[in-house]
Amino acid sequence: MLLLAHAVALAGDPVSTLNLKQLIDLGQRGNKDLQAARYAVDISRARLLQAGIRPNPRLDLSTRSDFAFSNEGEYSRAIAISQEFPITGRLLRQKDVARVDVALAQAEVAEAERRLAEQMAGKAYRLVVSQQQVDSIDRLLIAEESLAKTAQGRFRAAEVSELDVNTVQLDVQRLRLEREQ
């Protein structure tokens, strides 16, 4: 409902111009859970790009000296370059796993969109049904008030009892309370 009110305030159009598809699109744009699920898709796509790439080579530097012992000037320095080579087929399997992660993330986004659309449609239809109920209660209330006036006139003419007039007035009050609810 807040999204609907916000959209009306931004657009300046009456509420009746929004259809269900526009309402669902509006809800999907502003939903934080759906945005987080879409970010998860982006993250899994980035992992897919990184999957299957060989690790970077490492450069190791080391220095030793006898400073802590007798400091006779003995020292050594070493430089080493190392490269890890993966086991056969491991890079391909990493790509396969990354593709599955992308597919799972996309499925989560689709499920979240479907769930949100279902909730939005349910609320929209409940709103339409409740408005129709209020309209029918208004029509019934007009008829009951007319009946109450007629019963009041017939009571003055001694054609009906006071009990009948009170029953009709109670029905009018009940309909007013039902409309307020």
Side-chain angles (χ1 to χ4, degrees):
M1 293 306 160
L2 291 175
L3 288 173
L4 180 63
H6 180 67
V8 170
L10 288 178
D13 294 333
V15 175
S16 63
T17 61
L18 286 176
N19 62 22
L20 184 60
K21 174 84 170 113
Q22 292 169 335
L23 188 62
I24 290 171
D25 290 341
L26 182 66
Q28 287 179 346
R29 271 186 266 140
N31 190 297
K32 299 296 181 191
D33 292 334
L34 198 54
Q35 288 175 358
R38 287 183 180 135
Y39 287 135
V41 170
D42 293 340
I43 290 169
S44 62
R45 284 185 181 148
R47 285 185 183 147
L48 177 60
L49 290 175
Q50 291 295 317
I53 297 176
R54 288 193 178 112
N56 291 332
R58 285 191 325 216
L59 178 65
D60 296 324
L61 302 172
S62 66
T63 302
R64 288 190 217 175
S65 72
D66 64 345
F67 175 75
F69 297 106
S70 61
N71 199 13
E72 295 175 350
E74 188 176 325
Y75 66 91
S76 67
R77 291 191 179 109
I79 297 175
I81 296 176
S82 63
Q83 172 71 48
E84 293 179 11
F85 293 102
I87 300 172
T88 306
R90 184 172 180 190
L91 296 179
L92 292 175
R93 298 299 161 248
Q94 284 179 344
K95 281 233 182 243
D96 292 341
V97 169
R99 283 187 194 103
V100 169
D101 287 344
V102 169
L104 286 174
Q106 289 172 338
E108 285 179 17
V109 167
E111 176 65 18
E113 286 175 345
R114 186 198 59 77
R115 213 175 312 120
L116 180 65
E118 175 187 348
Q119 290 172 355
M120 297 284 289
K123 289 178 181 178
Y125 287 131
R126 275 194 294 274
L127 182 64
V128 168
V129 166
S130 65
Q131 183 60 45
Q132 289 176 351
Q133 286 175 336
V134 167
D135 291 343
S136 66
I137 289 173
D138 285 343
R139 287 192 302 273
L140 190 57
L141 191 58
I142 290 170
E144 284 287 332
E145 286 173 345
S146 173
L147 180 62
K149 288 179 187 176
T150 303
Q152 196 64 264
R154 290 183 70 194
F155 174 70
R156 283 190 216 116
E159 292 179 0
V160 294
S161 68
E162 187 175 5
L163 181 65
D164 293 336
V165 173
N166 289 340
T167 304
V168 172
Q169 287 175 346
L170 284 174
D171 284 341
V172 169
Q173 289 292 53
R174 182 188 53 82
L175 285 174
R176 285 184 183 150
L177 287 174
E178 192 174 324
R179 186 185 186 287
E180 290 300 317
Q181 287 179 346

